[in-house]
Amino acid sequence: MFNRLGSLFTEASLWIWKTMQLNVIWFMHILLGGVVLGFFPATTALFATTRRWLKGGLEEPIYDGYHRYYKAHFWKTNAIGWIYTSIGVFLALDLYLVTQLKGIVVLFSTAIILFLSILYVFFIFICFPVLRPF
């Protein structure tokens, strides 16, 4: 019983440690890209690394695979991210002007939906390479 409990604790500790490392690498790559250009590729590389882990690639070094994906898709993810962000800003501004601050709840809920949908776009970018526009 104690052997099983110990292996469960060891496995959980390993996942927590890898997640902490990945978060630090993600933050460093955001700063590496100059914040404005670093956010989208760093987040996409974060999702790609997590997906690699879930598919059984836990033995590969975290930084090497992360940085390789970051560099390979830097401009593609920036293009997708900034196009999507500019469309979202346009729609939010349009909604703001239409409602004239009567529906602040509508504006807030639209922002949440836009944020969640951008995460979905990057998951699609990672999981289905055939659908990449660039």
Side-chain angles (χ1 to χ4, degrees):
M1 180 172 138
F2 289 113
N3 190 21
R4 185 172 179 202
L5 184 64
S7 69
L8 180 67
F9 179 72
T10 303
E11 186 72 22
S13 298
L14 178 67
W15 274 98
I16 291 169
W17 174 243
K18 284 186 174 283
T19 304
M20 288 172 51
Q21 285 178 324
L22 189 59
N23 282 327
V24 168
I25 292 169
W26 174 75
F27 186 70
M28 287 178 5
H29 278 78
I30 287 176
L31 296 178
L32 179 69
V35 180
V36 174
L37 291 177
F39 178 75
F40 296 118
T43 303
T44 306
L46 174 91
F47 292 154
T49 303
T50 305
R51 183 170 188 261
R52 187 181 73 221
W53 288 352
L54 293 175
K55 289 185 143 207
L58 284 170
E59 302 304 321
E60 295 179 32
I62 297 172
Y63 185 81
D64 294 337
Y66 185 95
H67 190 68
R68 189 177 331 108
Y69 196 89
Y70 179 85
K71 281 176 44 178
H73 299 284
F74 184 82
W75 294 111
K76 293 176 188 176
T77 54
N78 265 316
I80 291 171
W82 285 110
I83 289 170
Y84 202 83
T85 300
S86 58
I87 290 170
V89 167
F90 174 75
L91 291 175
L93 183 63
D94 187 47
L95 182 65
Y96 174 76
L97 293 174
V98 168
T99 60
Q100 296 178 7
L101 283 180
K102 291 179 187 174
I104 194 72
V105 173
V106 174
L107 183 64
F108 184 68
S109 63
T110 303
I112 290 174
I113 290 171
L114 181 67
F115 176 72
L116 293 176
S117 68
I118 197 166
L119 292 178
Y120 185 73
V121 165
F122 286 119
F123 277 124
I124 293 294
F125 182 81
I126 292 167
C127 295
F128 301 106
V130 175
L131 299 177
R132 292 182 186 158
F134 305 104

